[in-house]
Amino acid sequence: KSSMTMTASSVSEVSTSSGSASTASTGTSSSAQPSLNADTGADYHKALRKHAAFFRACDELDAVECMHGLCSEDYADDDDVDRVSSEADRGEAIKILYTKLTKLPDEGLCHFVQEVLPAQKKTQVLLRTFHTCPGPRKCRLKSAQAHTPDMESACDVRTAVDTSMQMSDLHRSVLLQCYVELKSSVNVEDHVLDYLYSNFVISKSLRDRIRSDCTTAESKAGMLLDELPSCGASAFREFVDALIASKTSVHQKLAKKLMDMAKNST
């Protein structure tokens, strides 16, 4: 009987720890959306920076409607709405929205992800960038490395990753030094394009453009290499992971070479 009785202090602790979550997700399944707390907000900001290029290339996003959603909770004002409304270029309006989001406090970005973004149409993939756990990607990487026991962990490369929204000069230099070899040897249709798209490194429009505008494997690889430096700080790391995940011997060797060059240059 005593084991089934909850003390007043226990009730107080539970209420305190779950109060903000229940308030933020009224009418929403708790399993569908994370609790609105400081850790969640910090994670959202990390996701926003990591997938900057993907976010800014999301043509389906209605920047004006999103800004109105932020205004409803005083995370934006009429001037912000006017800025995106007066921007004729949809892509530029999305960039203005993105800049605004990067400056929001954690609770403001939580409001955007949990309330504003779900109300948008055709933004499920973008919404998933904020809720994707890194665990599955690490599992895939570990599985891929099991086929190449001599390969060093791709996590080692991550120490050289710049936390800004652009690829670091170090990684740009490595790709440039290996450009000719990568262009002639990488088959982007062997999991590489789809891997980068599924991990939100490249947009659907870029993936489709590479496939439609390029007729040879070499030209497809060249276009991807030309675009990668503008695909965010994590693009180099994800490209290496894509080569590892494809499991072909040529790609495995290239991945190891890129990792070694990145480490030796730090």
Side-chain angles (χ1 to χ4, degrees):
K1 180 176 180 180
S2 60
S3 63
M4 298 175 63
T5 303
M6 182 175 289
T7 65
S9 59
S10 298
V11 173
S12 175
E13 291 174 1
V14 172
S15 300
T16 301
S17 63
S18 60
S20 60
S22 60
T23 300
S25 57
T26 303
T28 309
S29 169
S30 60
S31 61
Q33 299 194 17
S35 302
L36 201 165
N37 54 48
D39 289 339
T40 300
D43 288 341
Y44 286 163
H45 272 291
K46 290 177 183 177
L48 185 66
R49 292 193 299 270
K50 177 179 179 181
H51 304 300
F54 184 83
F55 185 99
R56 289 178 293 185
C58 185
D59 298 332
E60 295 84 1
L61 197 63
D62 188 329
V64 176
E65 187 177 328
C66 287
M67 203 67 84
H68 276 298
L70 293 176
C71 278
S72 68
E73 294 295 328
D74 296 327
Y75 292 115
D77 54 31
D78 292 339
D79 289 340
D80 293 316
V81 175
D82 291 341
R83 286 186 66 201
V84 293
S85 300
S86 61
E87 182 55 64
D89 186 285
R90 190 181 184 91
E92 290 302 316
I94 292 175
K95 289 180 181 179
I96 293 173
L97 172 64
Y98 175 86
T99 301
K100 180 67 178 180
L101 294 176
T102 61
K103 298 177 180 178
L104 290 179
D106 289 346
E107 61 270 20
L109 192 55
C110 281
H111 170 69
F112 174 77
V113 174
Q114 299 182 2
E115 302 294 338
V116 178
L117 197 55
Q120 293 269 303
K121 296 179 180 179
K122 300 180 180 179
T123 56
Q124 293 88 347
V125 174
L126 181 59
L127 182 62
R128 203 172 69 208
T129 65
F130 291 99
H131 294 286
T132 299
C133 173
R137 201 190 69 79
K138 290 181 179 179
C139 291
R140 289 196 300 271
L141 178 59
K142 184 176 181 180
S143 176
Q145 289 174 335
H147 295 270
T148 54
D150 59 327
M151 182 167 293
E152 299 178 52
S153 172
C155 293
D156 292 341
V157 184
R158 294 171 193 168
T159 58
V161 173
D162 187 2
T163 56
S164 70
M165 289 183 289
Q166 295 296 320
M167 182 180 288
S168 68
D169 291 339
L170 185 153
H171 289 154
R172 287 172 182 264
S173 176
V174 171
L175 286 180
L176 187 59
Q177 292 176 61
C178 298
Y179 185 88
V180 174
E181 183 179 5
L182 290 170
K183 183 178 178 181
S184 62
S185 304
V186 172
N187 178 8
V188 298
E189 293 295 356
D190 186 4
H191 300 295
V192 176
L193 278 183
D194 289 335
Y195 183 97
L196 294 176
Y197 171 63
S198 66
N199 282 278
F200 316 108
V201 179
I202 63 174
S203 64
K204 181 178 184 297
S205 60
L206 175 56
R207 183 193 66 175
D208 294 345
R209 186 152 51 88
I210 290 175
R211 285 174 169 166
S212 61
D213 294 357
C214 304
T215 56
T216 65
E218 187 169 323
S219 61
K220 289 179 180 181
M223 180 179 252
L224 176 61
L225 291 169
D226 291 339
E227 295 286 347
L228 271 182
S230 62
C231 290
S234 64
F236 178 86
R237 179 198 71 201
E238 298 288 1
F239 178 61
V240 171
D241 290 352
L243 294 176
I244 294 172
S246 72
K247 301 179 184 178
T248 62
S249 59
V250 173
H251 286 179
Q252 300 287 334
K253 291 177 181 177
L254 288 172
K256 188 175 188 307
K257 181 175 181 177
L258 291 174
M259 287 193 290
D260 288 342
M261 291 180 67
K263 288 196 303 180
N264 294 334
S265 298
T266 56

